[in-house]
Amino acid sequence: MSAPTRTVRDATFDVLRRHGLTTIFANPGSTEVAFLTDLPDDVDFVLALHEGSVVGIATGWATAMDRPALVNLHTTAGLGNAVGALATARVNRVPLVVIVGQQDRRHLALQPFLAGDLEGLAGRYPVWVTTPARPQDVPGAVARAWHEARDGRGPALVIVPSDDWAAPADDTPVPAPVVLHRASAVEPAAVDALAGLLVGAVSPALVVGADADDPATWAALVALAERLQCPVWQESFAARAGFPQDHPQFAGHLPAGRGRLRQALAGHDVVLVVGAPVFRQYPFEPGPLVEDGTTVALVTDDVEDAHHSPVDLAVVAGPAPVCRLLAERVPQRPPATTRSERPAPPLPPQEGEPLRAAHVMAALAERLRPETVVVEETPSSRPDLHRLLPARRPLGFLSAAMGGLGFAMPAAIGVRMARPDGPVVAVVGDGSSLYGIQSLWSAAHYGCGVLFVVLANGRYAVMDRLAEQHGGGKAPWPAFEEVSVHGLALALGCPARRVDTYDDLVEALDAVVPTLADRREPLLLEVAVTPELTFQP
């Protein structure tokens, strides 16, 4: 009796094992049935009920694991539904290997039902896209996608027709799972130039970004900041924190308008930006980014940031080794005469005073352990979160750098899946929650003990404030106070409750926060808060 024919599917699973891609995040469709049914025992399947949640969970998982995650999407509909989440993964610089199903190769020329024009559907957000020329090229394409996703730090797509999986495999070599040598040396001349700027500066400042969010870079930046005795700012709209935000030299988050940005950096003759673009803005304002006489230098390991940042000097290298060398080179400065002071948290609301987002952030700050991962998606309350809930450990803060909604809920689930014994809290606006509400089913089904704190004001408060600032009259969109987020959570199998008073909030947090490291059941708290009267990005 002859041995069973080895298929493309068999060969692909071998490639997935070699690259550590043994968890599939997916919402299945008919063009993926041949790939997904009867999975090997060593391959796990994670279901989410919408493709945005699929990619969001995988993004959180890959972020926490610091390696690529495997996503499977269903032809045009699945990829189309996921484009926004893929854009977030790209801007957050998170590696994803994405296998996209396609109709049977044998009649694609006839454009059958479910056939898709897939290669351009996600635009330029994927770092790499391919449709293998032959079924036998699928395993090699998946292996290359792992390399492309890791090195390009974004989603890499492989489009696979449904009949390819059953085709006989051949012995075509595939890329190795490990690159044995990658250049890590820092160019001495670059360090000399940066050190010269800092040594000669009268009043230097540091700006840090998401690409500085790892223990080695934090340690190097703390050493450099303490040598320079300078303020350290966080880039605006960062996906992650680049410096311990409870450090005395942490100055806060840079504003996203040019006028206030110039004011924040006024008086600094040298600004060194580490792991961030220069400088992310939100509303357009005329004028320069910094005042005349301010030299801006950039250290980044992202070539794209180096190309589009208007700086006097850009060094493309690992932030940690560069900052470590700079800390050794610059002389110790005397202690600063002034230090950045954290604003005092608000007092608990008095009887009859409405509950505000700031009260919720302060209550969380009093209770959360330093190692808690806080995943944020609350646009109108983000300044309060930044002000009152500092990131105290690497990966202490996670957000969507792209700005699109629907990230926080699924990303928090993915982080918790990757770190099953680490506390994870998602702080989400009620409007934002509705873009990823289906992910709560996955949290409940897979036992992810995330605390979801939904700030419910029954409207798109940030849009209301922006409309008022624009001066164009009354906004046409209505409030949606009828929506019960905790009711939707319960319908999806996720434990939830409504919180209407400060006393109820404190009672709920005191009960759940001590359990966050060990709990295997999610909890959603829908906290009724009054809409904020002002918003300043």
Coordinates of all heavy atoms in Angstrom, one line a residue, residues 4-59:
P4 N 0.3 7.9 1.8 CA -0.5 9.0 1.4 C 0.3 10.1 0.7 O 1.4 10.4 1.1 CB -1.2 9.5 2.7 CG -1.0 8.4 3.7 CD 0.2 7.6 3.3
T5 N -0.3 10.7 -0.3 CA 0.4 11.8 -0.9 C 0.5 13.0 0.0 O -0.5 13.4 0.6 CB -0.4 12.2 -2.2 OG1 -0.5 11.1 -3.1 CG2 0.3 13.3 -2.9
R6 N 1.7 13.6 0.1 CA 1.9 14.8 0.9 C 1.4 16.0 0.1 O 1.7 16.2 -1.0 CB 3.4 14.9 1.2 CG 3.8 16.1 2.0 CD 5.3 16.0 2.3 NE 5.8 17.3 2.7 CZ 5.7 17.8 4.0 NH1 5.0 17.1 4.9 NH2 6.2 19.0 4.3
T7 N 0.5 16.7 0.8 CA -0.2 17.8 0.1 C 0.5 19.2 0.5 O 1.3 19.3 1.4 CB -1.6 17.9 0.6 OG1 -1.7 18.2 2.0 CG2 -2.4 16.6 0.3
V8 N 0.0 20.2 -0.3 CA 0.5 21.6 0.0 C 0.1 22.0 1.4 O 0.8 22.6 2.1 CB -0.1 22.5 -1.1 CG1 0.0 24.0 -0.6 CG2 0.5 22.3 -2.4
R9 N -1.1 21.5 1.8 CA -1.5 21.8 3.2 C -0.6 21.2 4.2 O -0.2 21.9 5.2 CB -2.9 21.3 3.4 CG -3.6 21.6 4.8 CD -5.0 21.1 4.8 NE -5.7 21.5 6.0 CZ -5.8 20.7 7.1 NH1 -5.3 19.5 7.1 NH2 -6.5 21.1 8.2
D10 N -0.2 20.0 4.0 CA 0.8 19.3 4.9 C 2.1 20.1 5.0 O 2.6 20.4 6.1 CB 1.1 17.9 4.5 CG -0.2 17.0 4.5 OD1 -1.0 17.2 5.4 OD2 -0.2 16.1 3.7
A11 N 2.6 20.5 3.8 CA 3.8 21.2 3.8 C 3.7 22.6 4.4 O 4.7 23.0 5.1 CB 4.3 21.3 2.3
T12 N 2.6 23.2 4.3 CA 2.4 24.5 4.9 C 2.3 24.4 6.4 O 2.9 25.3 7.1 CB 1.1 25.2 4.3 OG1 1.2 25.3 2.9 CG2 0.9 26.6 4.9
F13 N 1.7 23.4 6.9 CA 1.7 23.3 8.4 C 3.1 23.0 8.9 O 3.4 23.5 10.0 CB 0.7 22.2 8.8 CG -0.7 22.7 8.9 CD1 -1.7 22.2 8.1 CD2 -1.1 23.7 9.8 CE1 -3.0 22.6 8.2 CE2 -2.4 24.1 9.9 CZ -3.4 23.6 9.1
D14 N 3.9 22.3 8.2 CA 5.3 22.2 8.6 C 6.0 23.5 8.7 O 6.8 23.8 9.6 CB 6.0 21.2 7.7 CG 5.6 19.8 7.9 OD1 5.0 19.5 8.9 OD2 5.9 18.9 7.0
V15 N 5.7 24.4 7.7 CA 6.3 25.7 7.7 C 5.8 26.5 8.8 O 6.6 27.2 9.5 CB 6.0 26.4 6.3 CG1 6.3 27.9 6.4 CG2 6.8 25.8 5.2
L16 N 4.5 26.4 9.1 CA 3.9 27.2 10.2 C 4.5 26.7 11.5 O 4.8 27.6 12.4 CB 2.4 27.0 10.2 CG 1.6 27.6 9.0 CD1 0.2 27.2 9.1 CD2 1.8 29.1 8.9
R17 N 4.8 25.5 11.7 CA 5.4 25.0 12.9 C 6.8 25.5 13.1 O 7.2 25.9 14.2 CB 5.4 23.5 12.9 CG 4.0 22.8 13.0 CD 4.2 21.3 13.1 NE 2.9 20.6 13.2 CZ 2.3 20.1 12.1 NH1 2.9 20.1 10.9 NH2 1.1 19.5 12.2
R18 N 7.6 25.5 12.0 CA 9.0 26.0 12.1 C 9.0 27.4 12.4 O 10.0 27.9 13.1 CB 9.6 25.8 10.7 CG 9.9 24.3 10.3 CD 10.5 24.2 8.9 NE 11.9 24.8 8.9 CZ 12.5 25.2 7.9 NH1 11.9 25.2 6.7 NH2 13.8 25.7 8.0
H19 N 8.0 28.2 12.1 CA 8.0 29.6 12.4 C 7.2 30.0 13.6 O 7.0 31.2 13.9 CB 7.5 30.4 11.2 CG 8.5 30.3 10.0 ND1 8.6 29.2 9.2 CD2 9.4 31.2 9.5 CE1 9.5 29.5 8.3 NE2 10.0 30.7 8.5
G20 N 6.7 29.0 14.3 CA 6.0 29.3 15.6 C 4.6 29.9 15.3 O 4.0 30.5 16.2
L21 N 4.0 29.6 14.2 CA 2.7 30.1 13.8 C 1.6 29.0 14.0 O 1.0 28.5 13.0 CB 2.7 30.6 12.4 CG 3.6 31.7 12.1 CD1 3.7 32.0 10.5 CD2 3.1 33.0 12.8
T22 N 1.4 28.6 15.2 CA 0.5 27.4 15.5 C -0.8 27.9 16.2 O -1.5 27.0 16.7 CB 1.3 26.4 16.4 OG1 1.7 27.0 17.6 CG2 2.4 25.8 15.6
T23 N -1.1 29.1 16.2 CA -2.4 29.6 16.6 C -3.0 30.4 15.5 O -2.4 31.4 15.0 CB -2.3 30.5 17.9 OG1 -1.7 29.8 18.9 CG2 -3.6 31.1 18.3
I24 N -4.2 30.0 15.0 CA -4.8 30.7 13.9 C -5.9 31.5 14.4 O -6.9 31.1 15.1 CB -5.4 29.6 12.9 CG1 -4.3 28.7 12.4 CG2 -6.1 30.3 11.7 CD1 -4.8 27.5 11.5
F25 N -5.9 32.8 14.1 CA -6.9 33.8 14.4 C -7.8 34.0 13.2 O -7.3 34.4 12.2 CB -6.4 35.1 14.9 CG -5.5 35.0 16.1 CD1 -4.1 34.8 16.0 CD2 -6.0 35.1 17.4 CE1 -3.3 34.7 17.1 CE2 -5.2 34.9 18.5 CZ -3.9 34.8 18.4
A26 N -9.1 33.7 13.3 CA -9.9 33.6 12.1 C -11.4 33.8 12.3 O -11.9 33.6 13.5 CB -9.7 32.3 11.4
N27 N -12.1 34.1 11.3 CA -13.5 34.0 11.1 C -13.7 33.2 9.8 O -13.4 33.8 8.8 CB -14.2 35.4 11.1 CG -15.7 35.3 11.0 OD1 -16.2 35.2 9.9 ND2 -16.4 35.2 12.1
P28 N -14.2 32.0 9.9 CA -14.0 31.1 8.7 C -15.0 31.4 7.6 O -16.1 32.0 7.8 CB -14.3 29.7 9.3 CG -15.2 30.0 10.5 CD -14.7 31.3 11.0
G29 N -14.6 31.1 6.4 CA -15.5 31.2 5.2 C -15.3 30.0 4.4 O -14.4 29.2 4.6
S30 N -16.2 29.9 3.3 CA -16.2 28.6 2.5 C -14.9 28.4 1.8 O -14.4 27.3 1.5 CB -17.3 28.6 1.6 OG -17.3 29.8 0.7
T31 N -14.2 29.5 1.4 CA -12.9 29.3 0.6 C -11.8 28.9 1.5 O -10.7 28.6 1.0 CB -12.6 30.6 -0.1 OG1 -12.5 31.7 0.9 CG2 -13.6 31.0 -1.2
E32 N -12.0 28.8 2.9 CA -11.0 28.4 3.8 C -11.2 27.0 4.4 O -10.5 26.6 5.2 CB -10.8 29.4 4.9 CG -10.3 30.8 4.5 CD -11.4 31.6 3.7 OE1 -12.5 31.7 4.3 OE2 -11.1 31.9 2.6
V33 N -12.4 26.4 4.1 CA -12.7 25.2 4.7 C -11.6 24.1 4.5 O -11.3 23.4 5.4 CB -14.1 24.7 4.1 CG1 -14.3 23.2 4.6 CG2 -15.2 25.5 4.6
A34 N -11.1 24.0 3.3 CA -10.1 23.0 3.0 C -8.8 23.2 3.9 O -8.1 22.2 4.2 CB -9.7 23.0 1.6
F35 N -8.5 24.4 4.3 CA -7.4 24.7 5.1 C -7.7 24.5 6.6 O -6.8 24.0 7.3 CB -7.0 26.2 4.9 CG -5.9 26.7 5.8 CD1 -4.7 26.0 5.9 CD2 -6.1 27.8 6.6 CE1 -3.7 26.5 6.8 CE2 -5.1 28.3 7.4 CZ -3.9 27.7 7.5
L36 N -8.9 24.8 7.0 CA -9.2 24.8 8.4 C -9.7 23.6 9.0 O -9.6 23.3 10.2 CB -10.1 26.0 8.7 CG -9.6 27.4 8.4 CD1 -10.7 28.4 8.6 CD2 -8.4 27.7 9.3
T37 N -10.4 22.8 8.3 CA -11.1 21.6 8.9 C -10.0 20.5 9.2 O -9.0 20.4 8.5 CB -12.1 21.0 7.9 OG1 -11.5 20.7 6.6 CG2 -13.3 21.9 7.8
D38 N -10.3 19.8 10.3 CA -9.4 18.7 10.8 C -8.0 19.2 11.0 O -7.0 18.7 10.5 CB -9.4 17.6 9.8 CG -8.9 16.3 10.4 OD1 -8.9 16.1 11.6 OD2 -8.4 15.4 9.6
L39 N -7.9 20.3 11.8 CA -6.6 20.8 12.1 C -5.7 19.8 12.9 O -6.2 19.0 13.7 CB -6.7 22.1 13.0 CG -7.3 23.4 12.2 CD1 -7.5 24.5 13.2 CD2 -6.3 23.8 11.1
P40 N -4.4 19.9 12.7 CA -3.5 19.0 13.5 C -3.7 19.3 15.0 O -4.1 20.5 15.4 CB -2.1 19.4 13.0 CG -2.4 20.0 11.6 CD -3.7 20.7 11.7
D41 N -3.4 18.4 15.8 CA -3.6 18.5 17.3 C -2.7 19.7 17.9 O -3.1 20.2 18.9 CB -3.3 17.2 18.0 CG -4.3 16.1 17.7 OD1 -5.4 16.5 17.2 OD2 -3.9 14.9 17.9
D42 N -1.6 20.0 17.2 CA -0.7 21.0 17.8 C -1.0 22.4 17.2 O -0.3 23.4 17.5 CB 0.7 20.7 17.5 CG 1.0 20.6 16.0 OD1 0.1 20.4 15.2 OD2 2.2 20.7 15.7
V43 N -2.2 22.6 16.5 CA -2.5 23.9 16.0 C -3.8 24.3 16.7 O -4.8 23.6 16.7 CB -2.8 23.8 14.5 CG1 -3.3 25.1 14.0 CG2 -1.4 23.5 13.8
D44 N -3.8 25.5 17.3 CA -5.0 26.1 17.9 C -5.8 27.0 17.0 O -5.2 27.7 16.2 CB -4.6 26.8 19.2 CG -4.0 25.9 20.2 OD1 -4.5 24.8 20.4 OD2 -3.0 26.3 20.9
F45 N -7.1 27.1 17.2 CA -7.9 28.0 16.5 C -8.6 28.9 17.4 O -9.2 28.5 18.4 CB -9.0 27.1 15.7 CG -9.9 28.0 14.8 CD1 -9.5 28.2 13.5 CD2 -11.0 28.5 15.3 CE1 -10.3 28.9 12.6 CE2 -11.8 29.3 14.5 CZ -11.5 29.5 13.1
V46 N -8.6 30.2 17.1 CA -9.2 31.3 17.9 C -10.3 31.9 17.0 O -9.9 32.6 16.0 CB -8.2 32.3 18.5 CG1 -9.0 33.4 19.2 CG2 -7.3 31.6 19.4
L47 N -11.5 31.8 17.4 CA -12.6 32.4 16.6 C -13.0 33.8 17.1 O -13.1 34.0 18.3 CB -13.9 31.5 16.7 CG -15.1 32.1 16.0 CD1 -15.0 32.2 14.5 CD2 -16.3 31.2 16.4
A48 N -13.1 34.7 16.2 CA -13.8 36.0 16.5 C -14.9 36.2 15.6 O -14.9 35.7 14.4 CB -12.8 37.2 16.5
L49 N -15.9 37.0 16.0 CA -17.2 37.1 15.2 C -17.2 38.2 14.1 O -18.2 38.4 13.5 CB -18.3 37.2 16.2 CG -18.4 36.2 17.3 CD1 -19.7 36.4 18.1 CD2 -18.4 34.8 16.7
H50 N -16.1 38.8 13.9 CA -15.9 39.8 12.9 C -14.5 39.9 12.6 O -13.6 39.8 13.4 CB -16.5 41.2 13.3 CG -16.5 42.2 12.2 ND1 -15.4 43.0 12.0 CD2 -17.4 42.6 11.4 CE1 -15.7 43.8 11.0 NE2 -16.9 43.6 10.6
E51 N -14.2 40.2 11.3 CA -12.7 40.2 10.9 C -11.9 41.3 11.5 O -10.7 41.2 11.7 CB -12.7 40.2 9.4 CG -13.1 39.0 8.6 CD -14.6 38.9 8.4 OE1 -15.3 39.8 8.8 OE2 -15.0 37.9 7.8
G52 N -12.6 42.4 11.8 CA -11.9 43.5 12.5 C -11.4 43.0 13.9 O -10.3 43.3 14.3
S53 N -12.3 42.2 14.6 CA -11.9 41.6 15.8 C -10.8 40.5 15.7 O -9.9 40.4 16.5 CB -13.1 41.1 16.6 OG -14.0 42.1 16.9
V54 N -10.9 39.8 14.6 CA -9.9 38.8 14.3 C -8.5 39.4 14.3 O -7.6 39.0 15.0 CB -10.2 38.0 13.0 CG1 -9.0 37.2 12.6 CG2 -11.4 37.2 13.1
V55 N -8.4 40.4 13.5 CA -7.1 41.1 13.3 C -6.7 41.8 14.6 O -5.5 41.9 15.0 CB -7.1 42.0 12.1 CG1 -5.8 42.8 12.0 CG2 -7.3 41.2 10.8
G56 N -7.7 42.4 15.3 CA -7.4 43.1 16.5 C -6.8 42.2 17.6 O -5.9 42.5 18.3
I57 N -7.5 41.0 17.7 CA -7.0 40.1 18.7 C -5.6 39.6 18.4 O -4.7 39.5 19.2 CB -7.9 38.9 18.8 CG1 -9.3 39.3 19.4 CG2 -7.3 37.8 19.7 CD1 -10.4 38.2 19.4
A58 N -5.4 39.3 17.1 CA -4.0 38.9 16.6 C -3.0 40.0 16.8 O -1.9 39.7 17.2 CB -4.1 38.5 15.1
T59 N -3.4 41.2 16.6 CA -2.5 42.4 16.8 C -2.1 42.5 18.3 O -0.9 42.7 18.6 CB -3.1 43.7 16.3 OG1 -3.4 43.6 14.9 CG2 -2.2 44.9 16.6

